[in-house]
Structures are given as structure tokens and as C-alpha cells.
Amino acid sequence: MPGQAARLYPGVYSINSSNYIQIVRKGQRFCMADVSRNEKTFASLRPDRKHPSLYQVNGLLGKAVYQQDGNTIFWGPVNQMAREAAIVNGSKPTCLFPVICNAVLALISRF
């Protein structure tokens, strides 16, 4: 359907052995956590009105999430997203770290 936001699949996506993206859904709202060895970033996501296949990352200007299929997401600056390809872990867990899941769900509750 034109103008409808692309589907986003909650789960844990591995960029490399020490960097993960976690997408969490509560109702119609989505948040993400970008977790690496040295840094954790939490943000809510909103559909991009101009580009229905993208979700804008609130608070991180120019960054977006794109779900290619049920197993692959791209995230980062829109013009460099291909370099940030992430493949879902084999078992497709929905929560990598319970503390992070709880923090992301708490974030969703505030929006």
C-alpha cells in the first residue's frame, strides 16, 4: 500500500561480534538499542513520511532504519546504510540483554 510504513521485525540483529541492534515493539511503537562494547544508544523510531520504507531514529539526526526482509536490517546515515548491514542471529532472540529490553520498553512507554 503506497504511503504505508514498511514492516519492522522486533529482534536482535548482529552487525559483528561486539555490536548489536535490538528492535523492540510495544503496540504500534518501536524503539531500538544499538549496543556495542563501549556504547549503548537507545532511541524511538518513527515512520519516515517522505520515504515509507524507512524509520527515522528520533534524536539522531539523519539516521534511519530500513528492514530489507525478516532477517536483515540496515541502519545508520541514510547515504551510508549499506555499510551497516545487520544479519539476525540464527535463533532470532527477541531480547539480547533483559536490562536493555526493560530500558527500551520503558522508553517506549514515555512516548
Side-chain angles (χ1 to χ4, degrees), residues 85-100:
I87 307 300
V88 73
N89 289 342
S91 62
K92 197 167 185 173
T94 56
C95 183
L96 186 60
F97 303 108
V99 171
I100 291 172

Side-chain angles (χ1 to χ4, degrees), residues 35-104:
V35 181
S36 66
R37 249 182 255 180
N38 302 321
E39 187 177 352
K40 292 166 189 57
T41 302
F42 302 94
S44 62
L45 303 173
R46 62 180 165 78
D48 186 317
R49 292 181 183 179
K50 293 181 183 177
H51 304 24
S53 62
L54 297 179
Y55 280 80
Q56 291 297 317
V57 180
N58 289 322
L60 298 176
L61 190 62
K63 292 206 176 181
V65 172
Y66 165 70
Q67 183 91 42
Q68 180 180 355
D69 56 40
N71 294 325
T72 309
I73 64 168
F74 292 81
W75 111 273
V78 175
N79 60 349
Q80 297 175 357
M81 290 178 88
R83 294 185 211 167
E84 301 286 348
I87 307 300
V88 73
N89 289 342
S91 62
K92 197 167 185 173
T94 56
C95 183
L96 186 60
F97 303 108
V99 171
I100 291 172
C101 279
N102 291 336
V104 173

